Amino acid sequence: GGFARVHEVTDLTTSKTYAGKIIPKCRITKPHHKEKIAREIEVHRHLRHRHVVRFHHYFEDDANVYIILENCARRVSVPHGEEPLEWKAGSLPNEGDTQPRETLSVMRALAPLLGFAFGV
């Protein structure tokens, strides 16, 4: 979303890495912004699916809201038997430049997730 930046963070007690979504409170300027963040946390903490990044924890201080999530490998999840598409930050194609194979892989990964999310 437009509120946050995501960084790879490490738990210094376990050396495990996570994705840390950091939302500056100065960007939360309207009541519905706060509601949107609370709703995201509430929904995400209950989702359990292989195509959904796992929620671990959230907390806040005076400056930021922190959402701690599963740290994903830098790849698109693909159906069994297909080659995964690896990517590096900033290397994804620009809008309109996606190749059919990449689009197919992404859509095959999203279809079961959408069915799960909408109870189909």
Side-chain angles (χ1 to χ4, degrees):
F3 289 124
R5 290 194 175 263
V6 178
H7 301 275
E8 185 175 271
V9 296
T10 303
D11 181 334
L12 297 177
T13 60
T14 64
S15 298
K16 184 168 173 134
T17 60
Y18 296 92
K21 185 174 184 177
I22 303 169
I23 306 167
K25 287 187 173 178
C26 65
R27 309 255 345 247
I28 305 169
T29 58
K30 298 179 181 171
H32 73 273
H33 292 164
K34 191 170 188 171
E35 292 168 11
K36 179 180 175 183
I37 293 165
R39 195 170 43 251
E40 174 185 346
I41 291 168
E42 187 59 27
V43 168
H44 204 145
R45 71 184 338 158
H46 296 288
L47 288 176
R48 297 284 186 271
H49 190 276
R50 67 187 183 115
H51 291 300
V52 176
V53 175
R54 172 91 28 124
F55 174 91
H56 285 277
H57 184 63
Y58 88 97
F59 60 96
E60 59 185 280
D61 60 21
D62 291 337
N64 299 302
V65 175
Y66 304 89
I67 302 174
I68 308 302
L69 305 167
E70 171 187 10
N71 190 33
C72 296
R74 294 176 179 233
R75 60 178 59 217
V76 175
S77 180
V78 296
H80 179 69
E82 288 190 27
E83 259 325 284
L85 298 170
E86 294 194 18
W87 58 274
K88 294 180 181 172
S91 68
L92 289 176
N94 293 325
E95 185 177 339
D97 292 343
T98 306
Q99 298 299 312
R101 180 177 174 274
E102 295 159 329
T103 302
L104 179 61
S105 293
V106 170
M107 294 308 296
R108 282 186 175 161
L110 285 176
L113 175 60
L114 292 171
F116 169 77
F118 290 100
V120 177

